[in-house]
Amino acid sequence: MKLFPVLMFALTALVCAQASPPQASSSSAGAAQATSGAPSSRAQMRAARRQKMMEMRKQQLEAMKADLQKMKASLEQMNTNVAKISDPAEKERWQANVDMWQVMIGHMEQMTQHMETMGPGMGMGAPPPPAGKPQ
């Protein structure tokens, strides 16, 4: 008989525990709806996020251009130094290094040009204008 009150207490605790999360989640869903508001506020949030991403992309592009200019200056210095090397093996080693950096700089220039031509909506879901199709 002493088992019956303990069993009732345990079952009551289980029922209350199972009933609590749906109430909490439904009230938090209501709160989420209240904070998200109408579709226009979601559109405003999306627009703000898009603006932030465009600003970040612009900053990254400017940083990439600055890095590219520094790399070009360093490459010119390396070319000048290679011209002064008299040992053929050492000169060949340095020339291979210069050639590798020239390829890398060329690739970065292509990436920079590509990023510039993509415009501000790159990667943000804005489709590019149709090429060659009359409207």
Side-chain angles (χ1 to χ4, degrees):
M1 276 305 195
K2 291 183 181 183
L3 183 60
F4 183 73
V6 172
L7 187 58
M8 286 300 289
F9 178 73
L11 287 175
T12 304
L14 283 174
V15 170
C16 288
Q18 289 178 347
S20 295
Q23 291 172 351
S25 65
S26 65
S27 65
S28 64
Q33 287 176 343
T35 57
S36 68
S40 64
S41 66
R42 281 183 268 171
Q44 288 173 347
M45 288 177 16
R46 262 183 279 163
R49 186 176 190 196
R50 181 182 175 100
Q51 182 65 30
K52 182 179 177 184
M53 293 300 287
M54 287 173 25
E55 289 171 9
M56 286 175 51
R57 184 180 164 276
K58 185 177 178 182
Q59 290 172 355
Q60 289 171 343
L61 182 60
E62 293 304 317
M64 191 172 180
K65 286 180 181 180
D67 289 343
L68 196 53
Q69 292 305 312
K70 290 176 190 175
M71 290 171 74
K72 285 180 179 181
S74 293
L75 184 63
E76 284 301 315
Q77 183 64 45
M78 288 172 70
N79 273 322
T80 302
N81 291 341
V82 167
K84 297 176 184 176
I85 297 173
S86 58
D87 179 25
E90 187 70 14
K91 187 170 189 163
E92 183 179 345
R93 202 171 16 237
W94 275 98
Q95 187 60 51
N97 197 12
V98 166
D99 294 344
M100 186 248 343
W101 279 109
Q102 182 62 51
V103 169
M104 188 67 193
I105 289 171
H107 177 71
M108 283 186 69
E109 284 176 329
Q110 287 178 344
M111 294 293 291
T112 303
Q113 289 171 356
H114 178 71
M115 287 174 69
E116 286 177 326
T117 60
M118 290 301 290
M122 184 181 93
M124 296 302 294
K133 289 187 179 180
Q135 291 182 350

